[in-house]
Amino acid sequence: MNKIVFFISIFFFSILVKAQENSFIPQPESVVFTSGGFHLNSDTKVYVPSKYITDLQSIVTSELAKDTGLDISIHKGKTKVNSNYILFQKVKDASIDPEGYVLEISTEKIIIKAKDYAGLFNGFQTLRQAIPVGANGATAIPSMMVTDNPRFHWRGVLLDVSRHFQTKAFVLKQIDVLSSYKINIFHLHLTDDQGWRIEIKKYPNLTKKGAWRADRTGIAWWSREHATADEPKTVGGFYTQEDLKDIIAYAKTRNVEIIPEIDVPAHSKALIAAYPHLFCYDEVPEGVNFEVAVGGKAPDNALCAGKETTYEFLEDVIKEVAALFPSNYLHIGGDECNKSNWKKCPHCQKVKEDNNLKDEEELQSYFIQRMHKIVTAQNKTMIGWDEVLSGNGVKGATIMAWRRGKHTPELQAPREGYPTIMTSYLHSYISRVQGPTIMEPEGPNSVLPLSVVYNHEPVPEELTPEEARLVLGNQASLWGEFTPTEEHFEYMLYPRTLASAEVSWSNPKVKNWERFQHALETSHFERLKRENVNVAKSLFTVYPAFGIDQLHSKAIVYLETEAVGYDIYYTTNGDDPTIKATKYEGDFTATPKSLLKAGLFNKTGDLLGEITEVRLK
Ligand code: ACM
Ligand code: ZN
């Protein structure tokens, strides 16, 4: 190599190292950069263990093609060349945990070592992130040694496909994207008041009737009139069992486990619409509506806890669901049960008396415990939302702790010995909007910025080490009321699921908000764009706050962003700000009623998010 080429290549690699240094999501346990780098090109050969060739071949070929445009050949077994290869190696190494890996990139070769398929898959995803974003053809990857293990096994995302049905193709796309960030659990909320989304062969009316509702598109979710019996029911959809088998099989190759949720006894309006005999009364009372709910309000949505037919029906449903999903877990919901009908229902009251149940909370426990028997008879572990702790609880179940504040299931569940999954509505309900509400699409009137998701610590410090060991992990939950389109659904998922992925995977010691948001800006927004994902850039939105000083006739303005390390520029004359406008250095005064426009800019002068506009009055 002549001196100039040598100098250029050293220089090139040092630029690459700088670019790559801080761009992994989730951040690995340890990354040590060494000198030089690996030249990936069309002659590079990939070797994978024979038993994984079927699964890895298509993933590795298609993803390297997507990342670089290169068509790279995959071979099974041991390496047959001395250099320019990528080796997937299954090892018995005590320092590597399940799903963990070691990734070694050097000038001659790249080796991914793991003790299981999941670790090889995860190591490959880290390798993909080491490839310079935007590579097109042969490319250089800086040398480095990455050692990495997951903090939690449960690294989940909940997709509510009931409130708005999402197609199989869309779910597969999310599996692709989220598994590349080491998300390994997809919790499918398959049933709710607004739609039943899973084919049950024994009860075809669940999808024939329960999957379809009257069209109220364009009317605010909370103001929708109930459907009538003779209206056409055109909005909805469902997965056949074959669809779900395809999703499960696809997910497995990407180290993703699908957890089905059948939400009972409440949130069951669609089920009751399909099979009204499972409601409390034998005669439909005046004013009770038995159509699939069209929006927010869904009264009379609890199954009767007193009729034996309810349990027989649910046992049939659970048997089919258990047979379909290979996961050891089956989620039965159990949340937000309005018990007013139970209080009046002769069947519910009889069961209460016959079983010496003190009140309807204990009747709920009775229901949940019967569900627990049904689920465990199928050799599955039952998961319930934290309301299942009420009354007498349900020993042997796993708890999904969502409430915070007045209720403290995040403490109660592990203290009572329950394995617990954290999905705090305050930190992980990504159905909440993610920036100033004036700037965001329709959603609940409640803000969950990216930084709050990122900075969440899912293990409460009040727990003893023994109790803390019962925390299985963390989950971001996307409820679907306000996300009718795929674009909007993705907008809510990204980038907050990436923040949640880092909470779930990375050791808190390596987490760093500034590094994370910089990685998004310089690398992952572009990677996600390449996957045709619609991401929100709300972290760059300027939050305005102002007060009017009537006495002196001036507005006092204060601006803030959750992103750090960038500059805000603003105008009050109606022009869109650029870096030639006034730089925000602290609160300032302006003329009341003027139009404030503010934006966030990086050091090269690019506008990062949208421009915030607000009239100062
Ligand atoms: C829930 O948010 N009702 C689980
Ligand atoms: Zn009843």
Side-chain angles (χ1 to χ4, degrees):
M1 203 185 292
N2 78 36
K3 259 198 192 128
I4 291 180
V5 172
F6 180 73
F7 177 76
I8 289 174
S9 82
I10 290 275
F11 179 70
F12 183 50
F13 277 120
S14 73
I15 290 177
L16 271 181
V17 169
K18 273 207 165 40
Q20 296 305 320
E21 209 158 33
N22 294 312
S23 70
F24 294 113
I25 295 178
Q27 178 69 6
E29 201 169 272
S30 156
V31 184
V32 178
F33 288 91
T34 48
S35 64
F38 181 87
H39 282 275
L40 184 71
N41 55 45
S42 53
D43 293 330
T44 304
K45 295 195 166 35
V46 177
Y47 296 90
V48 304
S50 306
K51 67 190 244 195
Y52 299 143
I53 185 94
T54 327
D55 288 341
L56 280 177
Q57 184 153 28
S58 61
I59 292 175
V60 172
T61 323
S62 65
E63 300 206 328
L64 288 179
K66 207 155 51 181
D67 296 338
T68 64
L70 294 170
D71 180 13
I72 291 185
S73 64
I74 317 284
H75 309 266
K76 61 180 169 199
K78 299 212 164 35
T79 38
K80 295 180 190 70
V81 290
N82 295 325
S83 64
N84 197 13
Y85 65 89
I86 302 174
L87 172 66
F88 286 73
Q89 199 174 35
K90 190 167 182 289
V91 295
K92 292 197 181 88
D93 182 333
S95 71
I96 305 178
D97 293 341
E99 300 188 272
Y101 63 91
V102 171
L103 166 67
E104 215 180 314
I105 303 174
S106 62
T107 315
E108 298 80 40
K109 58 186 185 286
I110 295 176
I111 301 183
I112 302 169
K113 289 185 202 160
K115 59 161 58 123
D116 51 18
Y117 178 81
L120 294 176
F121 177 83
N122 287 329
F124 174 62
Q125 296 306 330
T126 301
L127 168 61
R128 290 183 64 204
Q129 293 191 13
I131 297 172
V133 61
N136 188 8
T139 188
I141 311 175
S143 294
M144 68 185 83
M145 175 78 167
V146 181
T147 46
D148 203 8
N149 290 302
R151 179 178 183 199
F152 295 114
H153 170 67
W154 193 287
R155 306 184 299 279
V157 170
L158 174 148
L159 304 186
D160 172 4
V161 291
S162 170
R163 269 52 177 266
H164 287 100
F165 179 65
Q166 302 298 332
T167 64
K168 172 174 137 186
F170 182 77
V171 173
L172 297 183
K173 178 183 175 192
Q174 306 319 314
I175 291 172
D176 267 351
V177 179
L178 289 168
S179 65
S180 76
Y181 291 99
K182 304 184 176 72
I183 291 292
N184 66 342
I185 302 277
F186 264 49
H187 168 173
L188 293 184
H189 183 72
L190 289 165
T191 73
D192 213 302
D193 301 318
Q194 291 82 10
W196 181 280
R197 307 290 178 217
I198 169 174
E199 176 193 25
I200 300 294
K201 301 224 192 244
K202 186 153 188 182
Y203 299 113
N205 228 24
L206 283 171
T207 42
K208 194 159 167 254
K209 172 138 193 191
W212 302 96
R213 66 177 186 244
D215 192 356
R216 296 288 185 275
T217 313
I219 302 170
W221 183 261
W222 293 105
S223 323
R224 296 179 177 183
E225 293 277 326
H226 294 317
T228 56
D230 44 11
E231 257 185 292
K233 309 294 186 314
T234 54
V235 171
F238 65 94
Y239 308 109
T240 64
Q241 294 200 357
E242 288 308 307
D243 288 337
L244 288 162
K245 281 182 197 162
D246 292 346
I247 292 174
I248 292 161
Y250 188 82
K252 185 163 179 264
T253 67
R254 309 197 61 97
N255 189 38
V256 170
E257 182 174 333
I258 310 284
I259 314 288
E261 181 188 352
I262 304 295
D263 197 354
V264 287
H267 288 275
S268 291
K269 193 79 190 181
L271 191 164
I272 292 169
Y275 292 96
H277 70 284
L278 301 179
F279 188 55
C280 275
Y281 315 111
D282 300 325
E283 298 285 315
V284 182
E286 187 80 17
V288 170
N289 172 291
F290 273 160
E291 298 304 315
V292 176
V294 290
K297 298 193 191 80
D300 307 306
N301 68 351
L303 301 173
C304 182
K307 290 180 183 169
E308 216 32 49
T309 42
T310 301
Y311 301 103
E312 287 159 12
F313 184 96
L314 290 175
E315 181 170 20
D316 292 336
V317 170
I318 295 299
K319 274 186 181 158
E320 285 195 37
V321 174
L324 189 57
F325 290 85
S327 172
N328 285 331
Y329 289 105
L330 201 156
H331 199 311
I332 58 85
D335 57 322
E336 298 182 309
C337 184
N338 179 330
K339 300 170 184 86
S340 55
N341 285 309
W342 290 4
K343 287 186 185 150
K344 294 180 278 181
C345 165
H347 306 284
C348 287
Q349 291 307 310
K350 179 158 190 324
V351 162
K352 205 174 107 183
E353 275 156 36
D354 290 352
N355 292 278
N356 292 320
L357 305 174
K358 186 166 89 236
D359 54 19
E360 279 65 30
E361 288 310 312
E362 291 198 359
L363 181 56
Q364 152 120 350
S365 294
Y366 170 89
F367 179 96
I368 297 294
Q369 284 165 6
R370 297 238 4 213
M371 289 306 294
H372 187 236
K373 277 209 188 85
I374 291 171
V375 171
T376 47
Q378 301 304 313
N379 294 318
K380 304 282 180 184
T381 298
M382 188 186 93
I383 304 179
W385 295 109
D386 58 60
E387 286 93 328
V388 305
L389 294 168
S390 72
N392 307 317
V394 55
K395 286 285 173 270
T398 291
I399 303 300
M400 201 164 258
W402 69 281
R403 295 179 298 176
R404 294 293 182 274
K406 186 166 139 241
H407 300 276
T408 53
E410 74 280 20
L411 303 177
Q412 185 192 349
R415 280 179 180 159
E416 291 180 5
Y418 291 97
T420 307
I421 298 147
M422 300 299 179
T423 183
S424 158
Y425 86 95
L426 290 177
H427 308 93
S428 309
Y429 268 27
I430 56 172
S431 24
R432 299 165 67 199
V433 301
Q434 53 200 307
T437 43
I438 51 162
M439 302 287 290
E440 292 294 319
E442 189 197 3
N445 199 13
S446 149
V447 183
L448 175 58
L450 178 67
S451 53
V452 176
V453 180
Y454 184 82
N455 289 317
H456 176 46
E457 169 45 56
V459 180
E461 59 186 17
E462 295 91 333
L463 297 181
T464 64
E466 195 184 340
E467 290 160 354
R469 275 195 285 280
L470 288 167
V471 178
L472 303 183
N474 180 57
Q475 176 168 297
S477 294
L478 178 51
W479 299 101
E481 288 91 337
F482 295 99
T483 44
T485 64
E486 296 188 347
E487 291 73 24
H488 194 174
F489 205 93
E490 288 188 345
Y491 182 88
M492 302 310 272
L493 282 176
Y494 304 99
R496 287 180 297 178
T497 45
L498 276 56
S500 185
E502 188 151 318
V503 171
S504 306
W505 176 278
S506 302
N507 185 320
K509 289 199 190 93
V510 302
K511 278 178 67 198
N512 178 308
W513 165 245
E514 195 162 350
R515 191 252 323 134
F516 174 80
Q517 47 134 59
H518 194 251
L520 288 177
E521 187 220 330
T522 56
S523 170
H524 293 273
F525 282 146
E526 198 173 330
R527 290 178 195 276
L528 290 166
K529 192 167 152 203
R530 195 185 52 206
E531 307 278 347
N532 288 319
V533 168
N534 183 35
V535 297
K537 296 198 174 162
S538 312
L539 86 148
F540 299 131
T541 306
V542 177
Y543 287 72
F546 63 91
I548 304 291
D549 176 349
Q550 303 280 8
L551 188 60
H552 303 98
S553 193
K554 61 186 182 185
I556 302 156
V557 185
Y558 173 78
L559 303 175
E560 198 180 9
T561 60
E562 58 174 329
V564 291
Y566 305 105
D567 296 313
I568 300 173
Y569 288 85
Y570 69 90
T571 63
T572 52
N573 65 358
D575 290 349
D576 282 349
T578 65
I579 50 167
K580 296 211 175 83
T582 313
K583 185 170 170 179
Y584 179 74
E585 308 274 12
D587 52 305
F588 62 93
T589 59
T591 312
K593 300 202 178 109
S594 54
L595 181 65
L596 170 77
K597 289 190 180 186
L600 191 68
F601 294 82
N602 65 13
K603 299 294 174 210
T604 43
D606 307 315
L607 175 69
L608 294 170
E610 302 279 318
I611 291 173
T612 300
E613 259 189 59
V614 61
R615 183 73 61 185
L616 299 174
K617 62 174 188 189

